[in-house]
Amino acid sequence: MTISFLNNYLLRICIVILCLFAQDSSAQNKYETAVSRQTESLNKNWKFHLGSASNPEKDFSYGIVRNFTIAGGGGGAVSPKFDDSKWRSVNVPHDWAVELPFEYHKHFDVQSHGYRPVGGFYPENSVGWYRKRFNVDKEKEGQRFVLRFEGVYRDFKLFVNNNYIGGNFGGYTESSFDITDFIEFDKENLIVLRVDATQYEGWFYEGAGIYRNVALETFTPVHIPEYGVYVYAKVEKSQAKVVAQTTVKNQEGKTAECTVSSYVMDAKGTQVTPTRTEKLKIKNNETQQVEQNFSIKNPLLWGLNTPNLYRLVSIVKKDGKIIDTISAEFGVRTFDYNATTGFSLNGESMKIKGMCVHQDHAGVGSAVPDALVYYRIKLLKEMGVNAYRCSHNPPSKSVLEACDKLGMMVMDEIRVIGTGKENLDQFERLVKRDRNHASIMLWSLGNEETGVQNTDLGRRMAHTLVQRQRELDPSRLSTYGGNNGINFKGINQEMDVRGFNYHIKELDDYHKEHPTQPIVFSEVSSMVSSRGMYVKDPEKGYLPDYDMNKPGWGQNAEEWWKFTVDRPWLMGGFVWTGFDYRGEPTPFTWPNVNSHFGIMDVCGFPKNTYYYYQSWWTDKDVIKIYPHWNGHKTGDIVNVWCNSNADEVELVLNGKSLGKKVMPRNGHLEWDVIYEPGKLEAIGTKNGKTIRTAVETTTAPYQIVLTPDRKSITADGNDVSVINVTVLDKQGREIPDAMNMIQFKLNGNATILGVGNGDPSSHEADKCLDGNWKRSLFNGKCQIILESMDKEGDFSLSATSEGLQNAMATIQMKK
């Protein structure tokens, strides 16, 4: 769940507990409820300013003042006396890299990060300072306080009230800090972060800043610690055997006696198991763990179309009072990986129809709000995707929560393989944080570690990680994204499931040599295209929007999918990638600033190959023809493609049939058509039913259309409205090649987060910091993303363009 929902969620849990006690008058008299755990979002009202990685004077004297010498004696921007009134006010999630202009630099890492001027070449853009003030009620004195950062890119130093607290090296791993000793109850508190994005971690756009949620957690000295609840279930005939482990920590200063009670609720809030209770006696600064077992009769299984979830409620009581409670969602399901028959979920054999996904989105960079994450997962579901690979780093919490609730399996991946203290700690935190999620099907221990993957060093590190994974989460298996083909020695020796990145011609031989090791395409295809373009233009950096272009290592969509369905033992695969992403502008460089690999562009607008997958990955009635019918010359030969799951398709131009063709299974159809303007139709027959589509020659742009993803959003200050923009001609037909510049104006209580259009060579601003929000259409489409305020009411967005009829969309905000 999102942080904005967490307080309400905990309140509901407390109400459920009270209701259960109320069912028994003796229980009601015996116990008092005093649940103290609270989570407060700290996303709003930060102050931000760029520093410097090379000049202390521009870095608020960091490095030449005594910030680490004595307690409470810091200077510069760390000091509470520092004047930040001229700093910019921002909310987090925040990515300062996406605000910077594009800059050409002939260097691979700059290119692969999308030509944003962040990194070692740009010391003036690679350090950011954040400051936030907050208050704590006096009545909370005696509680414990923890600051939690879901993701900061990257290496940061944290100060609270002029005291150094700690840091986190990795740019993707969640981090937390106990700041109890530093809290002031009689005056304002100050958080300061210095974030250093000088060093890259990946070879793709990574952003910079506090790009995920921040929260302040409050709980009693005797409490369930971080990641202190682990629950998983095994299906045995008509029952689910649930194993629940709850850890309690004592920081009270003396030995404490308490009880841990647990039970399971279904999604409706009904208790479905008895309550189990264990007594504990815990010395100060020690932890103890209890394991409690439950059975659920005829459980509702978690599946792709029925993502049923249960909740384990863990309650800590001391002196007859509830002092802490945590509710952990989990699912009852069975994943099976078979080296002969392939993959199954809950006994149903299926192919993994997966997509690799980087975490950035148009307009917002890496600072993707939780609601926008849900939007992206829904787009993948609509295409027929059933599995999501977190490429190549730990995901945000919201990714896993969305996949849990929407029915999407997940390959959860660490950033880099390693068993040094830093990397091992990041791996352990990943597993502990994520292991309760129903959606996770596999742990991925790394990707294309070419320096070690074929070595004994790689094998030893992989062995350590697999063993630790099994200790922390015995309910799942591990894999690795190996681009080393038939090679077995090294990392692949230790893998439960062999992950193949490409090397499709070596797959059969590998399977023959290792017939007992299940195999999945951990990465496959890498087909490249540009939405709505139908000629190759190396100068501008565009590729035709057909399933026909691929790098030397890749496969077309049709090629890999036909290969996969013909091999029952091959579990399926993860396509590179679900969305275009900033960086890696293969096969071109500047002016390209993002990839062409996506089946959708950076806004989530489908390219044509989307409809190939939707045809064969879903039961929907799909029929799509392309290219559009504008911009050709009469008499030109136009190569027309049709993606459909119809049995046969007839192509008709201006009422004249161009012939019927039988649709090959997992294939597509083509016609070479002599162009004439007008209407080109595709009429399909599917199980005796007619399905049809058409493309038409349109006239001049006439009217703007705004299409929000929802008409109403939550007034919580965190929900998002995604508004897609198109243009129609006078006949009401969408113009597929329109490139008009659109100006936006917002009225009401909302905030514009960013704009985009999916153009891989666009250098227009994602963030219009001067308030003049605008974006040109790219092949008929652009997008604007807005965030709600925390009070009810309507807001409206107007869109204008020279010579066109204006448009307005009104969105309701409700609590």
Side-chain angles (χ1 to χ4, degrees):
M1 70 190 63
T2 62
I3 283 183
S4 60
F5 300 148
L6 191 52
N7 285 332
N8 289 335
Y9 175 71
L10 289 174
L11 178 60
R12 291 198 300 271
I13 293 298
C14 294
I15 292 172
V16 169
I17 294 168
L18 285 168
C19 291
L20 290 171
F21 289 156
Q23 293 174 5
D24 184 338
S25 59
S26 63
Q28 188 176 20
N29 294 333
K30 185 176 181 180
Y31 298 108
E32 294 180 46
T33 60
V35 179
S36 63
R37 179 175 290 271
Q38 296 180 354
T39 299
E40 177 187 357
S41 172
L42 297 183
N43 282 0
K44 304 302 182 183
N45 302 316
W46 290 77
K47 288 289 189 176
F48 170 77
H49 203 288
L50 286 174
S52 173
S54 62
N55 187 339
E57 293 182 358
K58 294 181 178 180
D59 201 31
F60 309 105
S61 299
Y62 186 80
I64 57 174
V65 293
R66 299 171 65 188
N67 288 325
F68 300 93
T69 305
I70 59 174
V78 170
S79 171
K81 297 178 181 179
F82 179 84
D83 181 10
D84 61 14
S85 61
K86 294 183 180 180
W87 287 23
R88 184 155 60 93
S89 295
V90 300
N91 295 328
V92 301
H94 175 246
D95 174 3
W96 84 70
V98 78
E99 301 171 351
L100 300 173
F102 298 99
E103 184 170 321
Y104 177 67
H105 189 127
K106 193 176 181 180
H107 187 275
F108 174 78
D109 279 317
V110 177
Q111 169 192 316
S112 67
H113 283 75
Y115 295 105
R116 295 289 190 180
V118 174
F121 293 108
Y122 305 97
E124 70 278 11
N125 294 334
S126 298
V127 169
W129 286 85
Y130 292 87
R131 289 166 54 93
K132 180 176 174 59
R133 294 173 173 85
F134 67 101
N135 293 298
V136 178
D137 293 337
K138 179 72 173 177
E139 63 187 29
K140 293 182 179 179
E141 191 167 4
Q143 305 287 77
R144 306 297 302 185
F145 299 88
V146 167
L147 273 177
R148 184 170 305 282
F149 297 89
E150 289 190 20
V152 180
Y153 194 85
R154 55 179 296 277
D155 189 14
F156 72 84
K157 305 299 182 197
L158 169 66
F159 302 84
V160 175
N161 294 333
N162 218 6
N163 292 277
Y164 176 64
I165 306 301
N168 190 55
F169 184 77
Y172 300 95
T173 307
E174 181 175 274
S175 53
S176 61
F177 304 87
D178 189 322
I179 60 169
T180 302
D181 293 344
F182 307 96
I183 290 291
E184 301 284 356
F185 298 97
D186 54 353
K187 61 182 180 181
E188 203 170 47
N189 293 273
L190 174 67
I191 302 169
V192 180
L193 265 76
R194 182 184 185 270
V195 181
D196 188 343
T198 304
Q199 179 66 53
Y200 301 125
E201 288 193 46
W203 52 94
F204 38 83
Y205 179 84
E206 300 182 273
I210 307 176
Y211 71 99
R212 292 179 183 167
N213 298 314
V214 182
L216 178 65
E217 299 173 358
T218 307
F219 42 80
T220 57
V222 179
H223 59 273
I224 300 170
E226 178 179 63
Y227 316 135
V229 174
Y230 172 45
V231 55
Y232 65 95
K234 294 181 179 179
V235 180
E236 297 179 2
K237 296 182 179 180
S238 61
Q239 289 191 332
K241 300 295 184 180
V242 180
V243 179
Q245 297 173 354
T246 303
T247 301
V248 180
K249 184 173 185 177
N250 176 19
Q251 292 180 286
E252 199 171 46
K254 59 184 178 181
T255 299
E257 295 183 5
C258 62
T259 62
V260 176
S261 300
S262 301
Y263 57 87
V264 176
M265 295 194 304
D266 63 18
K268 296 179 180 179
T270 302
Q271 185 171 336
V272 296
T273 67
T275 301
R276 310 285 188 205
T277 300
E278 299 283 343
K279 294 182 179 180
L280 297 178
K281 187 174 183 179
I282 313 173
K283 295 180 180 180
N284 184 49
N285 284 327
E286 288 189 351
T287 59
Q288 289 188 26
Q289 183 185 89
V290 299
E291 181 170 298
Q292 296 161 318
N293 298 292
F294 306 90
S295 293
I296 304 174
K297 294 182 179 179
N298 301 313
L300 297 174
L301 300 183
W302 184 92
L304 303 176
N305 299 316
T306 55
N308 299 299
L309 295 171
Y310 289 90
R311 293 190 182 101
L312 174 76
V313 179
S314 299
I315 304 167
V316 180
K317 300 173 187 173
K318 182 174 177 290
D319 299 328
K321 297 180 180 180
I322 296 175
I323 57 172
D324 199 8
T325 182
I326 284 181
S327 174
E329 284 189 320
F330 69 99
V332 177
R333 75 283 183 269
T334 301
F335 297 127
D336 185 62
Y337 305 87
N338 190 288
T340 302
T341 59
F343 174 76
S344 66
L345 170 60
N346 297 329
E348 178 187 353
S349 178
M350 64 179 65
K351 291 294 186 183
I352 295 171
K353 303 168 182 175
M355 291 283 159
C356 301
V357 182
H358 278 314
Q359 63 180 7
D360 63 290
H361 189 88
V364 297
S366 293
V368 181
D370 294 348
L372 186 55
V373 168
Y374 276 78
Y375 177 83
R376 287 161 59 87
I377 302 296
K378 288 177 182 177
L379 292 176
L380 293 171
K381 286 278 292 185
E382 289 169 7
M383 195 199 332
V385 175
N386 64 17
Y388 180 113
R389 182 187 178 195
C390 306
S391 309
H392 299 291
N393 48 263
S396 66
K397 287 182 179 179
S398 57
V399 166
L400 301 179
E401 289 159 357
C403 290
D404 285 347
K405 290 176 171 57
L406 297 176
M408 177 77 71
M409 299 181 291
V410 176
M411 181 191 289
D412 200 351
E413 188 161 288
I414 59 175
R415 170 71 285 279
V416 62
I417 196 168
T419 54
K421 182 178 180 181
E422 183 76 37
N423 287 328
L424 185 59
D425 177 68
Q426 290 187 23
F427 176 67
E428 290 178 346
R429 293 178 72 84
L430 171 71
V431 175
K432 289 179 180 178
R433 186 196 70 166
D434 296 349
R435 58 189 175 177
N436 292 330
H437 287 280
S439 54
I440 297 177
M441 60 186 293
L442 280 169
W443 300 108
S444 175
L445 305 188
N447 177 74
E448 299 188 0
E449 296 280 357
T450 55
V452 298
Q453 64 184 2
N454 300 329
T455 68
D456 193 59
L457 170 60
R459 184 199 62 77
R460 294 196 304 269
M461 291 194 295
H463 179 82
T464 297
L465 292 175
V466 169
Q467 295 305 311
R468 188 63 178 131
Q469 176 256 300
R470 290 172 180 168
E471 293 169 1
L472 296 174
D473 176 30
S475 73
R476 293 183 182 86
L477 303 180
S478 288
T479 188
Y480 160 75
N483 64 336
N484 50 350
I486 202 167
N487 187 282
F488 178 70
K489 292 184 177 180
I491 292 177
N492 292 332
Q493 290 176 256
E494 299 294 329
M495 292 302 106
D496 304 308
V497 175
R498 169 66 208 272
F500 252 78
N501 283 12
Y502 314 105
H503 289 270
I504 192 169
K505 294 179 180 179
E506 299 179 53
L507 207 67
D508 287 334
D509 289 339
Y510 185 91
H511 176 59
K512 290 177 183 177
E513 292 184 15
H514 308 284
T516 62
Q517 189 179 37
I519 300 175
V520 65
F521 273 127
S522 42
E523 190 172 316
V524 71
S525 185
S526 280
M527 186 274 299
V528 284
S529 63
S530 308
R531 178 181 59 79
M533 304 302 296
Y534 294 101
V535 294
K536 185 174 182 178
D537 188 341
E539 184 177 342
K540 294 182 179 179
Y542 298 127
L543 292 154
D545 196 2
Y546 296 96
D547 181 25
M548 61 190 303
N549 303 287
K550 60 182 181 180
W553 66 83
Q555 302 82 39
N556 298 334
E558 196 166 321
E559 177 186 357
W560 88 267
W561 184 242
K562 285 182 175 180
F563 179 93
T564 300
V565 296
D566 287 343
R567 288 157 175 78
W569 48 266
L570 179 54
M571 296 193 300
F574 294 85
V575 172
W576 191 263
T577 53
F579 301 86
D580 279 345
Y581 55 92
R582 291 167 172 80
E584 286 198 304
T586 311
F588 309 118
T589 58
W590 186 267
N592 265 186
V593 295
N594 67 249
S595 79
H596 297 266
F597 296 116
I599 310 305
M600 292 176 276
D601 68 18
V602 292
C603 295
F605 297 133
K607 302 180 188 179
N608 289 324
T609 305
Y610 176 102
Y611 300 97
Y612 171 79
Y613 287 113
Q614 192 179 59
S615 294
W616 305 116
W617 285 7
T618 76
D619 294 326
K620 298 176 181 179
D621 295 335
V622 180
I623 187 164
K624 170 74 173 180
I625 55 171
Y626 47 93
H628 58 69
W629 221 233
N630 288 352
H632 311 285
K633 294 180 181 179
T634 301
D636 283 353
I637 302 298
V638 180
N639 183 221
V640 175
W641 283 38
C642 177
N643 289 128
S644 180
N645 48 18
D647 301 318
E648 66 175 13
V649 178
E650 180 182 18
L651 198 67
V652 178
L653 177 59
N654 294 328
K656 180 181 178 181
S657 176
L658 303 181
K660 292 182 180 180
K661 294 187 178 184
V662 175
M663 178 64 71
R665 184 71 181 171
N666 297 310
H668 75 282
L669 294 175
E670 294 183 38
W671 288 263
D672 285 332
V673 178
I674 300 174
Y675 178 77
E676 60 181 60
K679 184 176 183 179
L680 182 69
E681 293 182 275
I683 304 169
T685 303
K686 182 182 179 185
N687 298 324
K689 179 173 58 176
T690 298
I691 57 177
R692 63 203 310 153
T693 189
V695 291
E696 294 187 62
T697 308
T698 59
T699 55
Y702 176 72
Q703 179 182 1
I704 303 170
V705 175
L706 298 178
T707 305
D709 67 315
R710 291 171 293 160
K711 294 182 179 179
S712 177
I713 62 176
T714 305
D716 62 358
N718 296 295
D719 205 358
V720 164
S721 175
V722 180
I723 300 181
N724 294 324
V725 186
T726 53
V727 172
L728 307 182
D729 66 8
K730 277 192 175 182
Q731 289 72 42
R733 299 171 299 194
E734 185 174 316
I735 302 175
D737 55 349
M739 301 288 192
N740 305 70
M741 176 63 73
I742 310 295
Q743 303 274 350
F744 298 102
K745 185 176 181 181
L746 180 64
N747 295 297
N749 295 316
T751 302
I752 299 176
L753 293 181
V755 289
N757 63 9
D759 182 351
S761 295
S762 175
H763 297 173
E764 296 176 47
D766 292 274
K767 303 276 191 178
C768 303
L769 299 182
D770 61 358
N772 181 26
W773 287 94
K774 60 183 178 180
R775 191 71 175 207
S776 62
L777 300 172
F778 175 64
N779 288 323
K781 298 180 185 296
C782 72
Q783 184 177 86
I784 183 166
I785 302 166
L786 302 99
E787 187 174 55
S788 70
M789 295 293 189
D790 59 359
K791 57 183 178 181
E792 293 188 317
D794 296 350
F795 67 85
S796 61
L797 179 76
S798 61
T800 62
S801 184
E802 185 176 357
L804 301 184
Q805 286 194 353
N806 302 339
M808 180 175 288
T810 299
I811 309 297
Q812 292 181 322
M813 289 189 295
K814 297 181 179 179
K815 291 289 189 181

